[in-house]
Amino acid sequence: MIPSELVDSFGRVHDYLRLSVTDRCNLRCVYCMPADGMEFEPDENILSFYEITEVVRVLAEMGVKKVRLTGGEPLVRKGIEELVAAIAETPGIEDIALTTNGIFLAKKAAKLKAAGLKRVNISLDTLKADRFSLITRGGDVQRVLDSIAACQQAGIWPIKLNVVLMKGINDDEIEDFLRLTLDGAVQVRFIEYMPIGHNDMRWKQSYLPLSTVLERCKQLGWETEESHDVRGNGPAQTFRIAGAKGSFGLIHPVSDHFCETCNRLRLTADGNIKSCLYWADEFNVRKHIGDDEAIRQLFFKALSIKPMNHEMAKALADESQSHVPTARRMSQIGG
């Protein structure tokens, strides 16, 4: 096993790369993009598969073991299964996961599994067709449900459903999502609404603390216990309803952040290293492709300035922050 060289000034070991392959998306989710869409990067600004695999190779030599492909929507990138296969063949990489909105996944699930994909996270903020169309500005929830079934058939496991909980929008579906875990071996992950890329405080109108989920379980008379048997659990605090086949997780970056155990590095589709999702600090690695030592030093530099935490809670309280928050939207960073 390769010991990690990617250790920041707080002693946190980084063995996990969240890799955005595109800033483009086929949906326009209300919390991710403005209503009029985004101005996407021209194709020539996006890292090629060769450039991506070169960076992954160097990072694997430095101790990175896990890679998650993100976007935008990663499945809009043509030939994505070829990239999965190339990363899977990289010595040192042990786990490849995908975060997707699920619209194109049903047709690609088997190919991705064969290429080396191990796990999948599917964004699903509502089970209601009309509401799904509203939140995503035009998406079809049935295609996502079909993709979940296709992943199960292909043997991709675990399947995690990411639910951004939004006050007054989908908080009345908490029970519906929890019931999915009773008979199905899925993990539903409730995620707090985050102020990523927002230049005002309107995001707080949709914010809801995840204590609401546990309160709902109590109201329903469901006993819950913490669960630790979900592979790739990451930042989620995981629970299981007594007798349930599946589980549910709470990811609360705002109210109870998990920065102290952060092991993530991010690489944006246009080649920028971000050591923290929330802050503006970035270092472009593209010009160093072909120079392994320069790539190494740039990642060391990014880690050297990584702060202890992101201070999102200060944004919720309208308090001043110690760094400059990013102006990028989630689709431009990689979810």
Side-chain angles (χ1 to χ4, degrees):
M1 182 178 294
I2 301 172
S4 181
E5 301 176 36
L6 296 163
V7 183
D8 68 10
S9 58
F10 301 97
R12 293 173 294 197
V13 177
H14 294 69
D15 62 357
Y16 177 15
L17 175 67
R18 295 185 68 96
L19 172 61
S20 177
V21 298
T22 181
D23 64 337
R24 298 176 185 272
C25 188
N26 53 311
L27 299 179
R28 298 289 183 271
C29 295
V30 295
Y31 53 81
C32 190
M33 289 192 188
D36 55 354
M38 302 284 297
E39 182 176 343
F40 298 120
E41 292 284 345
D43 290 345
E44 60 267 23
N45 288 0
I46 302 300
L47 292 176
S48 69
F49 285 173
Y50 169 76
E51 291 171 318
I52 289 171
T53 53
E54 280 295 284
V55 175
V56 170
R57 176 183 59 79
V58 174
L59 288 175
E61 293 171 355
M62 300 173 73
V64 165
K65 302 179 180 67
K66 297 177 287 186
V67 176
R68 175 173 294 279
L69 302 181
T70 70
E73 168 49 46
L75 297 187
V76 304
R77 184 84 185 254
K78 292 182 179 179
I80 191 68
E81 58 271 19
E82 298 170 12
L83 178 62
V84 171
I87 294 173
E89 293 171 359
T90 303
I93 299 300
E94 300 173 357
D95 186 58
I96 304 174
L98 173 76
T99 294
T100 172
N101 61 37
I103 297 295
F104 299 139
L105 182 57
K107 293 182 178 180
K108 291 180 175 285
K111 289 182 179 180
L112 288 166
K113 172 66 174 178
L117 184 71
K118 299 292 181 68
R119 300 180 288 116
V120 65
N121 288 20
I122 301 174
S123 297
L124 183 61
D125 299 317
T126 177
L127 299 170
K128 302 179 184 296
D130 56 345
R131 186 175 291 178
F132 186 88
S133 180
L134 181 66
I135 292 174
T136 61
R137 298 190 177 102
D140 180 359
V141 72
Q142 187 58 51
R143 297 183 67 176
V144 183
L145 300 176
D146 291 344
S147 291
I148 295 170
C151 287
Q152 292 171 328
Q153 185 174 1
I156 297 174
W157 188 89
I159 299 170
K160 299 177 183 178
L161 306 181
N162 289 347
V163 183
V164 176
L165 198 60
M166 294 170 279
K167 182 169 59 179
I169 297 177
N170 64 351
D171 51 328
D172 61 337
E173 292 186 71
I174 291 174
E175 178 181 345
D176 296 332
F177 277 108
L178 290 171
R179 287 191 180 278
L180 292 180
T181 72
L182 296 179
D183 299 317
V186 297
Q187 184 192 99
V188 175
R189 308 197 319 165
F190 296 98
I191 304 171
E192 282 182 333
Y193 193 99
M194 292 181 285
I196 302 298
H198 291 266
N199 56 11
D200 56 42
M201 291 294 115
R202 285 182 294 176
W203 69 276
K204 293 194 294 184
Q205 297 172 9
S206 298
Y207 173 79
L208 191 69
L210 297 188
S211 56
T212 307
V213 177
L214 294 176
E215 290 169 4
R216 186 63 179 138
C217 286
K218 289 182 179 179
Q219 292 169 0
L220 292 166
W222 289 339
E223 294 184 8
T224 61
E225 60 181 8
E226 286 204 53
S227 174
H228 303 284
D229 59 352
V230 179
R231 182 160 59 90
N233 197 34
Q237 183 184 14
T238 308
F239 298 86
R240 190 182 302 277
I241 298 169
K245 292 183 179 179
S247 59
F248 67 94
L250 306 180
I251 301 178
H252 25 56
V254 178
S255 64
D256 185 15
H257 61 75
F258 40 84
C259 298
E260 287 79 1
T261 57
C262 182
N263 65 340
R264 297 158 190 77
L265 290 165
R266 293 176 182 269
L267 185 65
T268 65
D270 56 353
N272 285 291
I273 302 167
K274 290 185 72 70
S275 57
C276 180
L277 168 66
Y278 188 56
W279 300 122
D281 304 306
E282 296 182 354
F283 302 88
N284 195 279
V285 74
R286 192 175 200 182
K287 63 183 178 182
H288 300 298
I289 303 295
D291 185 341
D292 291 3
E293 184 57 28
I295 293 174
R296 288 164 54 88
Q297 292 304 319
L298 199 61
F299 275 94
F300 287 145
K301 183 176 181 180
L303 280 178
S304 72
I305 66 163
K306 182 171 183 173
M308 184 59 185
N309 58 64
H310 52 57
E311 301 180 16
M312 286 186 199
K314 288 188 176 182
L316 185 64
D318 291 333
E319 296 178 4
S320 61
Q321 298 168 301
S322 61
H323 292 67
V324 178
T326 183
R328 289 201 195 223
R329 304 295 291 231
M330 283 294 291
S331 61
Q332 297 172 307
I333 299 171

